[in-house]
């Protein structure tokens, strides 16, 4: 994690103007691409290179109060941004010590983005149209229930393996979903590969474009096995071979992830991905999380070197267990 000088530092002036000039409700960046010519790399492909951010306050799934509403109006954008920024302000000192500690950091450490996505959508999930992740299949629900039961019986921190890959500094993983901070990415292209550096936990994806097959099914990786190809001006990345511990929104090891990168103007890449996991979800679902050009540098994410939180989490869990055992012993007298 890294501080930014102000909460808006990850959205430079040029990017902010893109947000302010958002298309009318229903008009997507894809429709703008018809009148804009993307720059080219020396080998003739659409140029996606540079530093980008997907920080946003747009909710991942559509909230109940916005049910049936796919797009904000201009005034609704202004009102929504104001209310969310006030609600998320970690520098507030209302609610007492417990609420203050629960906010974790002061506001300068967060990099949520200050605006909704350029399309003014009310959720990042765009398909199904209701903005909700589809229901689990019976098998998917069974796995979710099993994970919940283990957590109920053993607690959330029986061992370090109970904590997320993110907390353990292993990976933030793919797809590229906005988080509370470090939402920056650097894209570099060569004729045969595309490399994407994730600022969060310094993940680096090197995606071959030469048509090679995926790894054998018995070889599993934290971020899966990615293969890319071009469809016109769109980079399509096909990823399989995930582990059963990646667990994106409940997905399993047979997750098939399809990502699309389409540069729609000088400052915007329309990034979308489709989650296809028939064993877990009743149908595929798609997310759009546009990338906005940023002049911010990519900072080093020295996660393991300062990961004292893991020690604190496990030590706290042992202290709670000790206190509960002592209370039970006292009650038995």
């Amino acid at each position: 994690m890294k501080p930014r000088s102000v909460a808006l530092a990850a959205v430079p002036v040029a990017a902010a103007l893109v947000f302010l000039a958002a298309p009318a409700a229903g008009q997507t960046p894809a429709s703008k691409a018809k009148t804009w010519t993307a720059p080219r790399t020396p080998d003739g492909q659409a140029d996606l290179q540079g530093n980008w951010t997907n920080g946003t306050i747009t909710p991942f799934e559509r909230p109940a109060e916005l049910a049936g509403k796919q797009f904000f109006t201009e005034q609704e954008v202004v009102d929504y941004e104001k209310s969310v920024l006030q609600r998320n302000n970690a520098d507030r000192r209302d609610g007492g010590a417990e609420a203050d500690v629960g906010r974790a950091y002061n506001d300068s450490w967060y990099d949520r983005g200050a605006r909704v996505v350029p399309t003014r959508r009310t959720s990042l999930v765009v398909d199904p149209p209701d903005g909700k992740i589809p229901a689990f299949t019976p098998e998917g629900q069974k796995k979710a229930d099993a994970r919940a039961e283990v957590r109920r019986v053993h607690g959330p921190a029986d061992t370090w393996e109970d904590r997320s890959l993110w907390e353990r500094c292993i990976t933030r993983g793919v797809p590229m979903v906005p988080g509370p901070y470090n939402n920056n990415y650097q894209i570099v292209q060569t004729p045969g590969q595309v490399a994407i550096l994730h600022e969060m936990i310094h993940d680096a994806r090197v995606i071959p474009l030469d048509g090679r097959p995926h790894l054998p099914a018995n070889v599993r990786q934290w971020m899966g096995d990615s293969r890319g190809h071009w469809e016109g001006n769109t980079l399509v990345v096909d990823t399989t071979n995930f582990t059963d511990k990646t667990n994106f929104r409940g997905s399993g090891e047979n997750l098939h992830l399809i990502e699309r990168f389409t540069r729609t103007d000088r400052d915007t890449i329309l990034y979308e991905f489709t989650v296809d996991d028939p064993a877990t979800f009743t149908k595929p679902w798609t997310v759009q999380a546009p990338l906005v050009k940023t002049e911010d540098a990519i900072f080093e994410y020295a996660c393991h070197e300062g990961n004292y939180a893991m020690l604190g989490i496990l030590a706290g869990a042992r202290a709670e267990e000790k206190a509960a055992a002592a209370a039970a012993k006292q009650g038995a007298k």
Side-chain angles (χ1 to χ4, degrees), residues 30-288:
S31 63
K32 295 168 63 181
K34 297 176 182 178
T35 59
W36 185 79
T37 301
R40 297 286 166 179
T41 60
D43 63 323
Q45 302 298 348
D47 194 340
L48 306 175
Q49 298 180 104
N51 291 357
W52 307 87
T53 178
N54 63 358
T56 183
I57 59 175
T58 300
F60 191 81
E61 294 186 87
R62 187 169 302 134
E65 64 269 20
L66 297 174
K69 187 177 186 63
Q70 291 188 336
F71 298 91
F72 288 113
T73 65
E74 290 186 10
Q75 185 57 51
E76 287 170 338
V77 166
V78 173
D79 296 340
Y80 182 78
E81 290 169 354
K82 181 179 179 180
S83 65
V84 171
L85 291 177
Q86 288 177 341
R87 184 169 65 249
N88 287 341
N89 181 9
D91 290 329
R92 301 194 333 260
R93 290 298 176 264
D94 56 330
E98 184 173 350
D100 192 32
V101 171
R103 293 177 183 130
Y105 312 110
N106 63 38
D107 223 37
S108 66
W109 288 90
Y110 287 103
D111 181 21
R112 302 182 183 93
R115 298 187 181 277
V116 301
V117 292
T119 54
R120 296 207 299 261
R121 286 189 177 274
T122 57
S123 64
L124 297 183
V125 174
V126 298
D127 186 42
D130 65 0
K132 298 289 188 181
I133 296 174
F136 284 133
T137 62
E139 179 181 347
Q141 187 62 57
K142 182 178 180 180
K143 289 182 178 180
D145 291 343
R147 288 192 294 268
E149 180 63 12
V150 169
R151 198 175 182 89
R152 186 189 69 81
V153 173
H154 298 286
D158 190 41
T159 77
W160 63 90
E161 291 185 313
D162 294 326
R163 310 307 298 183
S164 71
L165 301 182
W166 184 4
E167 285 183 333
R168 293 160 62 192
C169 296
I170 294 174
T171 180
R172 178 72 191 278
V174 291
M176 295 157 52
V177 176
Y181 40 71
N182 295 92
N183 291 305
N184 290 350
Y185 303 86
Q186 183 178 18
I187 300 178
V188 178
Q189 293 169 246
T190 68
Q193 296 175 319
V194 174
I196 304 176
L197 174 64
H198 297 208
E199 189 174 55
M200 179 69 80
I201 314 189
H202 51 257
D203 286 323
R205 301 171 67 190
V206 179
I207 303 164
L209 306 174
D210 57 7
R212 71 183 68 177
H214 282 290
L215 294 172
N218 64 334
V219 179
R220 300 284 167 170
Q221 301 185 131
W222 293 119
M223 299 180 73
D225 180 53
S226 295
R227 299 288 183 264
H229 67 274
W230 289 94
E231 294 181 1
N233 291 332
T234 298
L235 173 66
V236 181
V237 180
D238 185 288
T239 305
T240 60
N241 296 65
F242 289 97
T243 77
D244 60 354
K245 298 179 181 179
T246 303
N247 188 26
F248 176 67
R249 300 280 171 162
S251 65
E253 64 177 2
N254 294 319
L255 167 63
H256 181 195
L257 182 70
I258 301 172
E259 299 165 281
R260 293 178 176 271
F261 299 76
T262 307
R263 191 164 181 179
T264 57
D265 59 39
R266 185 178 70 89
D267 295 311
T268 313
I269 292 176
L270 179 61
Y271 171 69
E272 64 179 17
F273 63 83
T274 297
V275 172
D276 186 9
D277 184 355
T280 302
F281 301 105
T282 52
K283 57 183 176 181
W285 48 282
T286 299
V287 167
Q288 285 185 2

